[in-house]
Amino acid sequence: MTTTLETWGPVDPLEPALSVRRVLTLERVLAGEPEVVAGAAQLDRPVRWVHVAEAADVGVMLTGGEMVLTTGVLLAGDDNAQAEYIRSLHRAEAAAVVLGLGRAFPTTPDVMRRAAERCGLPMVVLHRPFPFAELTEEVQSRLVRRKFAAVSLSEAVRTALTGLITAGAPLQQLLDEIAHHTGCPVVVTNLAHRVLATAGERSAVDDVLRDWERIARQAGGSEGDGWIRAELGGRGERWGQIMLCGYRGDTAGGKLLADRAAEALVLHRMLGGNAAHSWEEQSAQSLLTDLLSGVVPARQLLPRARAAGLPVNRRTFVPLVVPDGDPAQLERMLRLLGLSGLVAECTHGATAVLLSLARDQDATALAAHFAARLRTESGERHTVVAAADPRTAWDDVPAGLREAQHVADAVADSSAALDLPAVVRLKDVHLRGLVRLLRDDPHVQSFAERELDGLLCATAADDLLAVLRTYLATGRNKSRTAQLHHVSRPALYRRLEAIEARLGVDLDDFEQAASVHIALLAHDAQQG
């Protein structure tokens, strides 16, 4: 058997579990000239313990995972006993059997070899004798130190997470800490396997999420290959789980870490970490924020969207933004209407909604129905929904969300006197939308200050600005303006005269009124 000698340094609890293959690389074992004669495909089995036994019925003494060392002195000359010996080890789920040649068997016993091959039990023969006690001492010591290292790491994780919770850290910071200690992607899901949060190296997380639906189903039934989960819940109620995805240490240590992480997350939730937002809302907010920012390409965010439960294949996406929208109310609206989508707060108190519709659904009609239902539910006839044109390509969703947000910004400070439709689109915001786009331009800012300077310096600036804003928004309708400000027509005329005098303009002149109107829109946009 050709092997590579390894140097065993300090125990790393994240290194792969001690396996039959690794034991065979020990210097003491190599001195015995080991040869794998059966079960070579199973050499990565973990070794839980090393047991020296000569008893023919050793199987009844095992609990699984043991590497059994024997000289076979009680088996020589009895083929049936040799075969049964191997079968009993297999039934006991032993990790491997190591037979020292020379005392009872000068060469490999063919009966035992064939039986081990049929059972898939690794069988190793040692061509040179050496003290079994030396091997058991080194392996047992290694196993004990490894278990101690795992417990120490577990306690270090507990201490670190408790400190973060005490300091009021957000959920993401806790998960980042867990991923740092476990060295693998960490995923938190609800009971429907919808991903609520992730942590770990971005590329590794994306690999996990890319095929999350299949992975979640497989990992839900077993914990092999480094997939380790722990339930999240309390007071007799489960509400999610945390998963270590591809943990490369031994399963027992990984389970210990997962349990510690679960304890911390449950405590974090019970103590009200980010109580204003549920983890589901935080997940949607993180995804929609990344889509809006454009920092991460939309295609790279597709696995996250799919894992979060958003249908993305052959869909029509409708980006919406609701000024002063309540995320909980909008989430409830989606459920009542049977619509799929993500809901999350965005800037300035507005709430973004990304609808995902089947291609045969009427996106325009559904957006209108959603907005009308929202007006009814809120009881506010001026409630509006800013909408972008539907997108059929996922890569176009970020631009659609930014368009909807731009429309929402443009109508956010509109006077209640304006009879806005329930659904407002880019074509509906006209000049206000353009000014919003240009509000940060120094030339526009200078223009607004120059045009409104005489009024902004006035003692009663706020009252006069409000009158001017309504007067221009109503198309210079004096009767309507007086009615909305609850003043008489003569009182309104005096205020308009004061405005004209301070600005040095004639508001009856269309061009001068338009210039003041644009300056006021720019001023309001900058203040917003």
Side-chain angles (χ1 to χ4, degrees), residues 403-416:
E403 179 182 316
Q405 187 176 46
H406 165 62
V407 174
D409 286 345
V411 301
D413 59 353
S414 296
S415 170

Side-chain angles (χ1 to χ4, degrees), residues 22-279:
R22 291 208 66 204
V23 170
L24 296 181
T25 64
L26 284 172
E27 186 174 0
R28 289 191 177 104
V29 179
L30 291 174
E33 296 183 6
E35 178 187 1
V36 178
V37 297
Q42 303 296 322
L43 293 181
D44 291 318
R45 285 182 175 182
V47 175
R48 188 184 59 82
W49 206 243
V50 175
H51 189 66
V52 180
E54 298 294 354
D57 59 348
V58 65
V60 300
M61 307 175 190
L62 307 179
T63 57
E66 295 90 351
M67 173 179 275
V68 177
L69 310 180
T70 183
T71 62
V73 292
L74 300 181
L75 303 175
D78 189 339
D79 290 353
N80 290 334
Q82 293 171 29
E84 177 55 29
Y85 180 83
I86 294 297
R87 289 192 294 266
S88 69
L89 293 180
H90 171 64
R91 289 193 298 269
E93 298 183 346
V97 59
V98 178
L99 175 65
L101 300 180
R103 186 172 179 185
F105 296 97
T107 60
T108 303
D110 198 48
V111 172
M112 294 180 69
R113 183 191 60 77
R114 289 200 305 269
E117 194 64 55
R118 284 194 297 269
C119 293
L121 175 71
M123 180 176 175
V124 181
V125 296
L126 301 175
H127 292 279
R128 286 181 177 273
F130 75 92
F132 283 170
E134 293 183 5
L135 173 60
T136 58
E137 180 183 5
E138 181 163 354
V139 174
Q140 315 302 43
S141 174
R142 181 74 180 182
L143 290 170
V144 169
R145 286 187 291 125
R146 184 183 185 85
K147 181 171 290 189
F148 178 77
V151 172
S152 297
L153 176 61
S154 168
E155 290 307 309
V157 170
R158 187 207 293 268
T159 301
L161 295 180
T162 301
L164 289 174
I165 293 172
T166 303
L171 170 65
Q172 189 60 53
Q173 193 171 347
L174 266 68
L175 294 180
D176 289 341
E177 186 73 14
I178 295 167
H180 169 71
H181 284 289
T182 60
C184 68
V186 176
V187 177
V188 175
T189 74
N190 61 14
L191 295 180
H193 298 299
R194 178 175 175 178
V195 174
L196 306 180
T198 63
E201 184 182 347
R202 189 73 261 164
S203 60
V205 171
D206 287 344
D207 286 342
V208 169
L209 297 184
R210 193 165 288 113
D211 198 17
W212 175 251
E213 187 174 341
R214 179 186 62 81
I215 289 173
R217 284 198 302 268
Q218 290 182 348
S222 65
E223 292 188 341
D225 300 325
W227 293 85
I228 300 172
R229 69 187 188 282
E231 301 297 336
L232 300 175
R235 298 171 184 170
E237 181 183 6
R238 291 172 55 238
W239 39 263
Q241 65 179 356
I242 180 171
M243 296 183 65
L244 308 185
C245 305
Y247 179 74
R248 61 187 180 88
D250 68 274
T251 301
K255 183 62 177 172
L256 196 59
L257 290 175
D259 288 341
R260 291 290 178 266
E263 291 170 6
L265 296 188
V266 170
L267 179 61
H268 179 270
R269 183 152 170 154
M270 289 177 62
L271 292 179
N274 290 316
H277 306 282
S278 71
W279 288 0

Side-chain angles (χ1 to χ4, degrees), residues 293-522:
S293 70
V295 173
V296 182
R299 188 162 298 278
Q300 292 184 20
L301 297 172
L302 189 58
R304 284 175 58 190
R306 185 181 287 111
L310 185 72
V312 295
N313 294 331
R314 296 188 58 77
R315 306 290 288 188
T316 297
F317 303 100
V318 184
L320 308 173
V321 173
V322 183
D324 300 319
D326 177 14
Q329 179 190 26
L330 295 173
E331 187 76 51
R332 187 170 61 254
M333 287 264 302
L334 290 183
R335 290 196 296 269
L336 287 173
L337 298 176
L339 298 175
S340 297
L342 295 177
V343 178
E345 284 189 21
C346 51
T347 58
H348 309 308
T351 299
V353 180
L354 179 60
L355 298 180
S356 174
L357 308 176
R359 289 283 175 88
D360 59 354
Q361 291 180 288
D362 188 332
T364 302
L366 282 173
H369 181 52
F370 179 84
R373 184 68 177 267
L374 182 59
R375 278 191 169 181
T376 302
E377 292 282 333
S378 65
E380 297 288 340
R381 69 183 184 90
H382 298 299
T383 299
V384 299
V385 173
D389 291 333
R391 264 64 175 176
T392 56
W394 174 258
D395 287 345
D396 295 334
V397 167
L401 284 168
R402 288 191 289 272
E403 179 182 316
Q405 187 176 46
H406 165 62
V407 174
D409 286 345
V411 301
D413 59 353
S414 296
S415 170
L418 295 176
D419 294 323
L420 294 170
V423 178
V424 183
R425 301 185 185 278
L426 193 59
K427 63 182 179 61
D428 300 316
V429 297
H430 304 296
L431 178 62
R432 187 181 299 275
L434 176 63
V435 171
R436 276 276 174 171
L437 281 177
L438 300 175
R439 63 183 173 180
D440 294 326
D441 187 292
H443 297 293
V444 174
Q445 294 171 354
S446 176
F447 169 75
E449 290 292 321
R450 184 172 64 251
E451 288 290 303
L452 301 175
D453 181 60
L455 190 57
L456 294 176
C457 295
T459 304
D462 289 345
D463 180 56
L464 293 177
L465 276 173
V467 170
L468 177 62
R469 186 178 292 111
T470 304
Y471 179 63
L472 295 173
T474 57
R476 294 182 294 172
N477 186 320
K478 295 183 172 107
S479 297
R480 182 64 172 152
T481 302
Q483 179 185 8
L484 289 171
H485 284 271
H486 307 291
V487 297
S488 65
R489 291 275 297 248
L492 174 67
Y493 293 157
R494 287 194 295 273
R495 295 184 187 184
L496 291 177
E497 289 170 359
I499 291 171
E500 290 179 324
R502 292 180 182 279
L503 296 183
V505 298
D506 178 5
L507 291 178
D508 288 330
D509 181 86
F510 175 78
E511 184 172 339
Q512 294 182 54
S515 181
V516 171
H517 194 184
I518 292 171
L520 185 57
L521 289 176

